[in-house]
Amino acid sequence: MKERILEVRGLNVDYGLGPESVRAVRDVDLTLHRGEVLGLAGESGSGKSTLAYGMTRLLPPPGIVAGGEVIYTLDDGSTVDLLRIRDADLRRLRWSEIAIVFQGAINSLNPVQRISTQLVDVLKAHSARSTPKARQDRARELLGLVGIASDRLHSYPHQLSGGMRQRVMIAMALALEPRVVIMDEPTTALDVVVQRQILRTLVELRERLGFSVVFITHDLSLLVEFSDRIAIMYAGQVVEEATSADLYRTPLHPYSDGLLHSFPALKGPRRELSGIAGSPPDLRSMPGGCPFHPRCGRAMDVCATRTPVLGQSTAGRSVACWLHPVSVG
Amino acid sequence: MSYLLKRIGFYLLTVWAAVTINFFVPRMIPGDPVQALITKQRGQMTSEAVRSLYVLFGLDKDESLASQYFSYLGQLLRGDLGMSFTFFPSPVADVIGDGLPWTVGLVGITTVIGFFLGTAAGAVVGWRRGTWADSLIPVTTFVSSIPYFWLGLVAIALLTGPGSFFPASGAYEIGLVPNWDWQFIGSTVQHGLLPGFTILISSVSGWILSMRNMMVTVSSDDYVTVAHAKGLPERRVMLAYAARNALLPNVSGFALALGFIVGGTLLVEIVFSYPGLGLQLFQAVGAKDYPLLQGIFLIITLSVLLANLLADVAYLALDPRTRREG
Amino acid sequence: MRNNPKALTGLVALGVFVLFAVVGPWLAPFDPSTRSNDLLQPPSSAHWFGTTHLGQDIFSQVLVGTRSVIFVGAVAGVVATVLSVLVGVTAGYLSGSAGEGLSALSNVFLVIPALPLIVIITSSLPETSNLTIALVIGLTSWAWNARVLRAQTLSLRRRDYVEAARANGESTWRIILFEILPNLTAVIASGFVGTVLFAVISEITLAFIGVSDAGGWNWGTVLYWAQSQQALTQGAWWWFVPAGLAIALLGTALSLVNFGIDEYVNPRLRTRSSTRGVRMRVGFTPVLAKETS
Ligand SMILES: Nc1ncnc2c1ncn2[C@@H]1O[C@H](COP(=O)(O)OP(=O)(O)O)[C@@H](O)[C@H]1O
Ligand SMILES: [Mg+2]
């Protein structure tokens, strides 16, 4: 029996308040187990980043968490709701328990401070009693972990290449040996070779250190080889969840199928995925019924009128689609 | 260092532009402004002084424009700014030499303090957006729209008068001889407080507004969110991440705005009869003392450029991206 | 504009000032220059803002002076805006030494202290009228906006649709007029408002040191006489308070309009900071207590 470490229940995230607001994440349930890699895939704009930052309360204005729970299980087995604890407690928990690698490392580093300062910052904030010397050594060691020579320690971000900056961010995420690392498209902006290198480093490190990962990408083919379980998002909802193997072999939702058989551009401007016609719905005017039905090649009458919910389907897997109705009972 | 060299080159270009403007502007003056003076002071002016004024005003009709220009440049290089009409027979350079220290002391110090105070306050106000701090904005907007000199008038009306600690005019007690003893320094500080506060209040509000806007803009940059994600203490996020970055455009804004600010602050001197360049400018306008006007313009321009250069050095120290290394 | 109370307040206040500028001279109860026997009187029902040492009505002076202030502000604003668009957009659009040269030119004008420059030019002119003062201010204060416009144009030039228009062989002028300028409207408007504010303060400052339209009135001339006739030592606060407040109010109105434009250009500045009791905070996303849907 795998233990749960992070559990999202009924999470709703909005942009804006009142009548102007749009719901970018709707009723999402998600479970992350200890030591597992959970993939989160979906076209760009499907709400993956909003989900990741919403559940950690890092979403900048006008983002608002409109409801739900995010239950984190601590080392001693007790649980806390990240959405309900005090700011000071959340601050203590951040990075030491849950670290995040943000989309776009270029903007994640403070441009006016040395890499060393930014690494040491974390160490200082969470273990005030360590000596400056120990912190410097640890920073050097962290850079070594992701394959960066220690003479880069005192560089400024603009002196490093994009790939190196992303590695620095990964090193920084691992600084306090967190139990959960959330990675939002950590390699999207990089070219294929660097992308592969970084992923390899990441796999290695995970095996050695044993943290759990939420890995976000719009590139499903990447996830399939790299994660244990995958959740597929569409228009702010999780529409299918399965083990990588199952999803790869038999994707149940037509959207998952489309994602799997499209070839997203690895580099350069994002173009439309060739496997799915049309574009994602406008969050302000969502189609009735299943949000995917206007683009779905296998849509039926019921799809336009009733919204399918995520549940155990007759196939014994979790999917929200009328092709695989929820098993009753 | 190529950045700094480029800036210095630019400042030299600006000096040349200011000098050239100064050469051409007096040529618009109708009639012969020097003749009146010569007639009045007949016999007291050396032929050399008359000549220098002629070069200044381009009254050598026999010479070509180009040779007029070069004799003008040569004269400037020798530090000869001509002779003041109002303070006859003092040369302009001496008159300005008397006023400059007062202006640098008053305007220079208060402008810098105003920048630091306003930037610090703006950082806090911008960071605490959505709290009581927002209510400061309308007040600062109103204050920053008031001309400096008018605020000075109000300060004099409200705070000076018989028995008040604040003197209404001058830079030191009449009768004291300027030197470095405590009595004189004390008197100078006492006289400088009110004009100083006037400049401070007017200039601080502008910096509060601009720094606040920069803080708000920078606060939603990714690295600030990352700093929060790292669980850093609030103060550290605010100072080392948000404010540290918001400071950069504010420093370059400071350099660019100096030319505007200096104009306003000089006028405070008029209101307080403070014996600096501003008061001299006022007297020169009233007396149509063209040589003094031009000299003051040149010196103010040079001072602003020097201050700009210092701001550049500060920027260089603050923004690693302008440094070329590694 | 409708959902921007700041800008709306500013525009209304500005409208009132413009109205006074137009009808002020007819509304004024007295001729501003005519002397009377009510010497240095404090405000009363006959003289709302009191009188000067010559018995002139200060309310009429301020009211009549509004026209000159608005006129100089508007003319200087237009002149400076036209120049800044010409220099800034051209400098941004042209690559190479021509663009660099224009940019250096605006930087030179930017660092030369504006007010002393305006003072030496206006006091060297054979005559100063509202028009010449406005022109001098306009001709010397375009640099800031030119700089902003250049930066904006540089970034617009790299946008896809501009690149596409160039690839299609559209003429430079067509591209500038139809692809670039429409996208600069807000920046140009904000620059115009900023310059008007600067011009107004400059005109008043000039008048205060004694350079003004001969025989005409503006708020600065009122202050000039107040200062030179020792209004302060005589306790005649009414002599300088109304004109100063008028400047501050006009300045605030212009700043408010500019805040509105800034918030439109830079959405991050919009104060949606605390609606319905929820405080938006970077780093700690608010969590609504109860489901709203
Ligand atoms: N500041 C915002 N205001 C309103 N809507 C937003 C904002 N940011 C993102 N969105 C919307 O939220 C949806 C999800 O965006 P995002 O989470 O970034 O998707 P992903 O990470 O999957 O690409 C998109 O439809 C996007 O248009
Ligand atoms: Mg994203």
Side-chain angles (χ1 to χ4, degrees), chain A residues 58-61 90-92 94-95 98 100 102-104 107-114 117-119 121-122 124-126 154 156 158-159 169 172 176, chain B residues 129 219-237 239-242 244-245 248 317-326:
Chain A
L58 285 169
L59 197 63
L90 182 57
R91 199 173 270 138
R92 204 164 324 117
R94 281 178 173 171
W95 223 258
I98 305 178
I100 304 191
F102 285 72
Q103 188 165 3
N107 304 320
S108 293
L109 287 162
N110 184 350
V112 297
Q113 278 182 344
R114 296 176 194 278
T117 316
Q118 301 187 47
L119 279 168
D121 237 7
V122 182
K124 209 151 119 189
H126 290 274
H154 297 291
Y156 285 99
H158 72 275
Q159 295 165 328
M169 284 317 293
M172 200 182 293
L176 302 173
Chain B
R129 191 157 79 119
S219 290
S220 42
D221 275 348
D222 279 354
Y223 52 81
V224 176
T225 306
V226 173
H228 278 297
K230 294 198 306 199
L232 302 184
E234 180 103 11
R235 273 175 63 92
R236 177 94 186 141
V237 182
L239 295 176
Y241 288 74
R244 182 66 176 69
N245 280 282
L248 296 176
L318 285 173
D319 189 353
R321 286 163 293 188
T322 49
R323 277 174 258 163
R324 295 243 178 276
E325 53 175 72

Side-chain angles (χ1 to χ4, degrees), chain C residues 29-83:
Chain C
F30 296 90
D31 180 291
S33 306
T34 304
R35 305 170 182 203
S36 74
N37 291 327
D38 299 334
L39 305 184
L40 212 55
Q41 295 294 309
S44 64
S45 56
H47 301 285
W48 290 2
F49 292 172
T51 59
T52 69
H53 67 302
L54 298 174
Q56 297 153 326
D57 182 50
I58 294 173
F59 176 63
S60 302
Q61 293 183 343
V62 172
L63 200 55
V64 170
T66 311
R67 181 177 286 184
S68 155
V69 172
I70 299 288
F71 172 81
V72 170
V75 172
V78 169
V79 170
T81 304
V82 169
L83 275 176

Side-chain angles (χ1 to χ4, degrees), chain C residues 119-182:
Chain C
V119 169
I120 68 157
I121 297 180
T122 46
S123 51
S124 302
L125 288 174
E127 50 119 23
T128 50
S129 65
N130 281 330
L131 185 64
T132 48
I133 289 176
L135 287 178
V136 172
I137 296 176
L139 290 172
T140 49
S141 57
W142 48 270
W144 182 280
N145 298 330
R147 199 183 142 89
V148 175
L149 283 170
R150 171 174 176 264
Q152 291 285 328
T153 310
L154 274 175
S155 80
L156 281 177
R157 201 169 64 126
R158 299 198 197 94
R159 300 266 169 92
D160 292 343
Y161 59 88
V162 177
E163 299 275 1
R166 263 206 298 202
N168 286 344
E170 295 222 19
S171 81
T172 306
W173 286 116
R174 262 197 81 81
I175 297 178
I176 290 185
L177 275 182
F178 294 102
E179 311 286 351
I180 296 203
L181 276 186

Side-chain angles (χ1 to χ4, degrees), chain A residues 43-50 53 103 184-185 216 218 270:
Chain A
E43 287 167 294
S44 113
S46 54
K48 306 179 299 289
S49 302
T50 310
Y53 304 141
Q103 188 165 3
D184 187 7
E185 317 230 8
I216 298 174
H218 63 267
R270 276 197 283 261

